Amino acid sequence: MEENLLFSPDSLYFLIDISHKNKKLKNFTFSNISQIDIILNASEPEKFLPVKEELTVIKLFDNFDISGLLVKIIDKEKIGESIFRLFVSPLSYVKITKVIDYNRYAKVKVVKANFKEISDIKKKDAYLSLLKKYFKEYSLYKNIDDDTGFLISSENDILKIIDSLLFYVDIDDEELKMILTETDLEKRTEKVIKHFLYEIEKVKIENEIFESVIKKDLEKSRKHLLMEQMKIIRSQLGEKDDKEDEILKIKTKILNSDLKEHAKEKALEELEKLKDLTVYSPEYSLIKNYIEWILSLPWEKTTPDNFDIKLAKKILNGNHYGLDKVKERILEFLSVLKLSGNQKGCILCFVGPPGVGKTSLGHSIAQAMGRKFVRVSVGGIKDESEIKGHRRTYVGSMPGRIIQMMKRAKVVNPVFMLDEVDKMGGDFKGDPSNALLEIFDPDINDSFSDHYLEIDYDLSKVLFICTANVIHTIPAPLRDRMEIVEISGYLENEKVEIGKRFLIPKIMKKSGLKANQIYFKNDGILKIIRNYSPEPGIRGLEKNIQTIIGKRAKEIALGQKIKDFKIGEKEVLKYLGPELYLERTKNKKVFPGVVNGLAWTPLGGKVLTIETLLLKGSGNIQITSQVGDVMKESAKTAISFLRKNYKFFGIDDEFYKKYDIHIHIPEGSIPKDGPSAGITITMSILSSLREKPISPDFAMTGEITLTGMILPVGGLLEKIVAAQIDGIKNIIIPDKNKNYFSMIPQYVKKNLNFFFVGDIYETSKILFR
């Protein structure tokens, strides 16, 4: 039938509407439709079906440019009660323009679907090539027969190829509908190509997964088969299974161990799981490792405590020179333990600069008590799991550092030192200081829960000792559970004795030198202390002594002649080179505006020089050398106070207008801040205004107010030690620090003159008398 007759305006066609029925849409494309099944109601006669050779419209979609297909009925067959099968031949995609309802059936007018062709021949050929290429690749994965592939490869009508391809690909009806209703052939082709690419990639991944799973299953089956065969062979040879032997040994260990009842139950429970696993299973090794951890921990074993206070005093004095106040506090602590028999809540924290013997004091306490000593550094830890362990669900999980150290101690009552508690951090993984709160709490540390163990562990018999360089960075709740014992730096005479009694003999023993090959004179050790390692601790001193002994050992090994085996000042210069630190008061010129202040740092006390220079100008104030806001405010306070009291101090009443004031603190690369420099800044400005120098033998510390009052400051002990080391003879401190001053050991204050002042007026009388 000619096309103009098919689609004449007067042509009416029988309608079969399947647009709302649950049909597989891919069976009704132009290239794939061949038959359609119709179910009539019992009351509907067969005459309501199209007859043979009748043209019929099969409606597939609503409200699109394509409504369905115009087909010719080739034959009709009854296949069941009220079920008919129509065999059809497709003629064209059509769009329904009008529906005429005849009550029991309907007829429609249609127009041929208008497809937008691909005008560019080269592009059309490229699309055809891609469609055939991707179908060929897809057919390899889906095992599509060669005849189908041949038919598609020989077809050159894009519309027919697309309809044929869609029959074989996995696609849902909604996506297929979007393709079939697209009348732009270029867009229609692109949608099909994109879907084919997706399907090809999906099939590749499915095949990879399938192969991987099959391979794993085959490997497991093979291992299991081999294991079963080995069991049969061993059984026939009269041998026992290694796995059964291993489980039996572990069970015996558990039953004969000193585990707590709840721990024993947990271990046996985990052991039961092993019986159902092969030794090659990853879970087998994880469970076995967990049980071994439980068995390796001490649960009941202790070392007997020795509370001989005289022996403890002897050990402390033998291991440490000086630190009398600290040793006294330790002896008091041990005495309380002896009398009470209860160490709950006793957490000592040694606070002081590096190298003053905090860690070695922990060793001495353990030695005096006859306990094992373990130490762990918690500085820099940011993850709570480092303390409490990782849960067993994680790969490579293990207990935290507390449990690890308890395993190493092998007893439940060691002396446990936690170093650098002031340097812990916290992030999204948790705050480790919170874990320490649980450990230090005497009411709950008998049931400490490690994330890995997941059973309670008793830490109540452990004697915890902490160390820190500073107090203010320790979280307040943690600090509240500790007894702080401050350790100041060593004085020069103490360092000399420590060098002679401890450091030199220890280093000589390690190096193999004898007493007749090297000997350190007092002035040589003092030279090292003053000019190479003036810090509060003794690590620098130890390193320098080690350097000198190493150089002397090299000379002896090379057979060089040694004129004098004694080490004095000249020999120190020879071996250590130019002086690194010069004594501040040595050969120092005196200038107006230059004043010594005392500062506190995390490494101990320090003497800082503050310089003031007056320049003709208009009253600008300049403060240099990385000075913080608090110190800048102290300078402004000092200037305001001097402006108000210019008559008392005999200075120009308009100095703040005539001069620019430049305040500088040497060692500019080091940040500086704090209120305790207030008195020093005030006296530096006053000295410059009066053009009268202040003796370099004086140093001072104190916060000032606008009324000239001097307020108390912290870190007094460290500041006095720094003054001793630096050769300062006279120290000015706030009158309100007298109470704390009385608690400072006498040997720290030895050979120093102290001046207690309540205000700037008293200070100026002392310095300008």
Side-chain angles (χ1 to χ4, degrees):
M1 191 179 290
E2 294 183 4
E3 188 173 299
N4 58 350
L5 294 176
L6 278 178
F7 301 107
S8 70
D10 299 324
S11 298
L12 285 172
Y13 303 108
F14 196 91
L15 175 66
I16 298 175
D17 188 352
I18 63 169
S19 60
H20 301 292
K21 295 183 180 180
N22 189 16
K23 300 278 188 180
K24 281 194 174 181
L25 195 55
K26 64 165 60 178
N27 293 327
F28 296 93
T29 62
F30 185 86
S31 298
N32 299 320
I33 190 168
S34 60
Q35 63 186 39
I36 181 169
D37 293 337
I38 305 294
I39 302 173
L40 295 175
N41 294 329
S43 61
E44 291 179 329
E46 190 179 336
K47 70 178 184 179
F48 292 128
L49 288 175
V51 297
K52 188 176 179 180
E53 300 295 325
E54 185 175 358
L55 299 183
T56 301
V57 171
I58 298 173
K59 184 181 177 183
L60 302 174
F61 315 114
D62 287 324
N63 304 320
F64 285 97
D65 290 336
I66 295 176
S67 302
L69 288 167
L70 178 64
V71 300
K72 183 179 182 181
I73 306 298
I74 304 299
D75 203 354
K76 181 169 65 173
E77 179 183 344
K78 188 173 183 179
I79 60 173
E81 187 68 31
S82 301
I83 302 174
F84 293 86
R85 177 166 290 166
L86 304 179
F87 296 93
V88 302
S89 173
L91 299 175
S92 176
Y93 282 111
V94 295
K95 180 179 181 181
I96 297 171
T97 57
K98 188 173 182 180
V99 179
I100 303 171
D101 191 356
Y102 290 98
N103 192 20
R104 306 296 292 273
Y105 64 94
K107 288 194 174 184
V108 294
K109 290 184 178 183
V110 297
V111 294
K112 185 178 181 181
N114 183 26
F115 286 98
K116 182 182 177 183
E117 297 289 338
I118 302 172
S119 57
D120 190 331
I121 301 299
K122 289 182 179 179
K123 185 181 282 189
K124 182 178 179 180
D125 290 343
Y127 277 130
L128 274 169
S129 177
L130 283 174
L131 286 169
K132 293 174 182 179
K133 173 187 171 185
Y134 290 136
F135 179 75
K136 185 177 180 182
E137 185 176 352
Y138 184 75
S139 64
L140 293 175
Y141 291 107
K142 289 293 186 177
N143 297 319
I144 299 172
D145 62 86
D146 294 338
D147 292 340
T148 303
F150 176 76
L151 288 172
I152 288 174
S153 64
S154 59
E155 180 63 66
N156 288 317
D157 187 320
I158 280 187
L159 192 59
K160 288 183 179 179
I161 285 182
I162 288 173
D163 280 4
S164 299
L165 296 183
L166 290 174
F167 181 76
Y168 296 100
V169 74
D170 291 332
I171 186 168
D172 61 71
D173 280 356
E174 196 59 38
E175 189 173 355
L176 183 57
K177 182 179 176 181
M178 297 300 292
I179 293 172
L180 292 178
T181 55
E182 178 59 68
T183 56
D184 187 326
L185 286 183
E186 185 171 343
K187 291 180 180 179
R188 189 181 183 111
T189 308
E190 285 175 354
K191 288 178 181 179
V192 173
I193 289 172
K194 284 179 183 177
H195 187 75
F196 259 97
L197 286 172
Y198 169 78
E199 285 297 319
I200 289 168
E201 192 62 32
K202 186 175 81 170
V203 172
K204 283 181 181 178
I205 294 169
E206 286 173 353
N207 287 348
E208 287 173 6
I209 293 169
F210 179 76
E211 287 174 10
S212 173
V213 170
I214 289 295
K215 187 177 179 182
K216 285 179 182 176
D217 285 346
L218 287 173
E219 185 66 26
K220 284 181 181 178
S221 300
R222 181 173 172 274
K223 282 182 179 178
H224 182 71
L225 182 62
L226 289 172
M227 287 297 298
E228 291 302 316
Q229 289 175 347
M230 286 173 67
K231 280 182 183 179
I232 294 166
I233 293 167
R234 286 199 185 102
S235 176
Q236 290 176 353
L237 292 172
E239 295 179 1
K240 287 185 177 180
D241 184 17
D242 284 347
K243 177 187 166 185
E244 291 177 4
D245 265 357
E246 187 174 41
I247 290 175
L248 184 60
K249 286 178 182 177
I250 295 172
K251 187 172 184 179
T252 305
K253 276 186 183 179
I254 294 170
L255 294 173
N256 295 333
S257 68
D258 63 347
L259 294 180
K260 300 280 189 183
E261 197 58 38
H262 68 279
K264 194 171 288 188
E265 286 175 9
K266 180 69 174 176
L268 290 170
E269 180 187 321
E270 294 293 322
L271 188 64
E272 283 299 313
K273 296 177 184 177
L274 285 185
K275 294 179 181 179
D276 301 326
L277 300 169
T278 66
V279 292
Y280 299 103
S281 167
E283 195 176 352
Y284 184 92
S285 60
L286 291 175
I287 294 173
K288 182 186 169 188
N289 190 45
Y290 172 73
I291 295 171
E292 286 175 350
W293 260 107
I294 294 176
L295 289 170
S296 66
L297 289 171
W299 293 88
E300 296 288 349
K301 187 180 178 182
T302 61
T303 51
D305 284 333
N306 176 15
F307 287 119
D308 187 337
I309 305 302
K310 290 181 179 178
L311 176 63
K313 185 175 182 179
K314 184 179 178 182
I315 290 170
L316 288 170
N317 287 332
N319 294 345
H320 302 273
Y321 183 84
L323 304 179
D324 293 336
K325 184 182 176 184
V326 176
K327 288 189 282 191
E328 190 66 26
R329 180 65 197 92
I330 291 170
L331 291 175
E332 291 168 5
F333 174 75
L334 295 177
S335 300
V336 171
L337 286 182
K338 178 181 179 179
L339 297 175
S340 67
N342 179 15
Q343 68 180 43
K344 283 192 172 184
C346 300
I347 312 292
L348 288 178
C349 181
F350 298 133
V351 178
V356 295
K358 298 185 295 294
T359 305
S360 59
L361 279 169
H363 276 282
S364 297
I365 291 172
Q367 185 183 348
M369 295 180 70
R371 289 193 181 191
K372 296 282 187 72
F373 179 81
V374 288
R375 170 186 168 272
V376 62
S377 176
V378 294
I381 289 179
K382 293 184 178 180
D383 186 355
E384 185 180 345
S385 297
E386 290 283 336
I387 302 293
K388 297 195 70 174
H390 298 81
R391 301 192 185 279
R392 283 194 290 156
T393 51
Y394 296 105
V395 176
S397 59
M398 61 191 304
R401 297 195 186 188
I402 301 298
I403 294 297
Q404 289 179 40
M405 288 298 108
M406 291 305 295
K407 176 185 174 182
R408 186 178 297 180
K410 298 179 181 178
V411 291
V412 296
N413 66 335
V415 172
F416 198 127
M417 175 162 277
L418 293 158
D419 256 341
E420 315 291 353
V421 293
D422 57 323
K423 295 177 181 65
M424 288 187 297
D427 59 12
F428 64 94
K429 296 178 183 177
D431 189 346
S433 65
N434 292 334
L436 291 187
L437 288 177
E438 180 185 348
I439 293 165
F440 291 167
D441 192 330
D443 295 325
I444 59 174
N445 68 0
D446 59 348
S447 55
F448 171 69
S449 177
D450 183 272
H451 290 155
Y452 179 83
L453 291 183
E454 295 178 332
I455 51 177
D456 292 343
Y457 189 81
D458 188 358
L459 294 174
S460 62
K461 296 182 179 67
V462 179
L463 176 58
F464 287 104
I465 298 175
C466 302
T467 72
N469 293 131
V470 295
I471 299 174
H472 64 270
T473 56
I474 303 174
L478 193 61
R479 190 167 65 239
D480 189 52
R481 283 172 165 78
M482 303 173 179
E483 180 176 345
I484 305 298
V485 179
E486 293 188 10
I487 304 174
S488 60
Y490 294 105
L491 302 180
E492 284 184 352
N493 64 312
E494 291 176 322
K495 286 187 177 183
V496 170
E497 290 301 319
I498 291 169
K500 286 164 66 176
R501 296 187 188 190
F502 300 99
L503 302 181
I504 294 170
K506 180 179 77 172
I507 298 169
M508 282 179 65
K509 186 177 179 180
K510 285 182 180 178
S511 63
L513 289 184
K514 297 176 183 177
N516 61 354
Q517 293 174 320
I518 190 167
Y519 173 78
F520 283 83
K521 294 159 66 175
N522 282 4
D523 64 332
I525 299 173
L526 271 173
K527 182 73 176 174
I528 298 171
I529 294 166
R530 289 175 178 172
N531 301 120
Y532 297 93
S533 52
E535 72 279 352
I538 57 169
R539 288 205 184 111
L541 174 61
E542 184 176 8
K543 289 175 185 176
N544 284 309
I545 290 173
Q546 199 163 2
T547 300
I548 292 170
I549 289 177
K551 290 181 182 293
R552 175 58 61 88
K554 186 187 77 169
E555 290 173 351
I556 294 170
L558 292 172
Q560 295 178 5
K561 189 177 180 180
I562 299 169
K563 295 180 181 179
D564 189 356
F565 70 95
K566 295 179 180 178
I567 303 294
E569 290 186 0
K570 290 182 181 179
E571 287 73 24
V572 169
L573 278 169
K574 172 189 170 184
Y575 289 125
L576 297 182
E579 298 169 337
L580 300 178
Y581 301 92
L582 299 176
E583 296 172 62
R584 299 171 67 86
T585 55
K586 183 180 177 182
N587 300 324
K588 187 171 183 180
K589 292 183 180 179
V590 180
F591 296 98
V594 179
V595 182
N596 293 327
L598 297 173
W600 178 92
T601 74
L603 302 180
K606 188 172 180 63
V607 177
L608 288 178
T609 301
I610 295 181
E611 302 173 340
T612 300
L613 193 64
L614 297 181
L615 304 166
K616 286 187 179 180
S618 56
N620 292 323
I621 302 169
Q622 187 177 8
I623 307 174
T624 54
S625 186
Q626 288 206 59
V627 174
D629 290 339
V630 176
M631 200 173 277
K632 288 177 182 176
E633 289 167 3
S634 294
K636 292 175 182 177
T637 303
I639 290 170
S640 296
F641 170 76
L642 292 173
R643 284 176 60 187
K644 178 68 176 176
N645 297 280
Y646 69 91
K647 288 183 181 178
F648 179 86
F649 296 111
I651 55 177
D652 189 343
D653 63 334
E654 294 190 343
F655 73 88
Y656 61 92
K657 295 180 181 178
K658 296 179 180 177
Y659 302 108
D660 288 341
I661 301 173
H662 186 167
I663 301 169
H664 179 72
I665 305 161
E667 300 182 44
S669 63
I670 302 171
K672 308 165 191 74
D673 203 6
S676 66
I679 184 175
T680 316
I681 293 171
T682 307
M683 299 319 297
S684 175
I685 297 170
L686 185 57
S687 170
S688 189
L689 287 169
R690 296 183 65 175
E691 296 185 354
K692 288 185 178 181
I694 292 174
S695 170
D697 280 338
F698 274 89
M700 60 202 74
T701 181
E703 180 182 352
I704 63 161
T705 68
L706 280 171
T707 58
M709 300 296 293
I710 298 177
L711 304 181
V713 293
L716 194 58
L717 175 62
E718 289 82 0
K719 292 175 180 179
I720 293 172
V721 170
Q724 279 271 25
I725 292 170
D726 223 65
I728 301 290
K729 300 300 179 186
N730 304 293
I731 300 176
I732 297 174
I733 57 179
D735 188 61
K736 293 179 181 178
N737 274 115
K738 269 186 179 179
N739 288 338
Y740 182 81
F741 179 80
S742 63
M743 295 187 288
I744 295 174
Q746 191 57 42
Y747 67 86
V748 175
K749 301 182 278 190
K750 189 178 179 182
N751 299 324
L752 291 175
N753 299 315
F754 293 93
F755 299 87
F756 296 95
V757 293
D759 53 45
I760 293 296
Y761 308 107
E762 294 178 38
T763 309
S764 66
K765 289 176 183 177
I766 294 168
L767 294 174
F768 295 111
R769 55 188 173 186

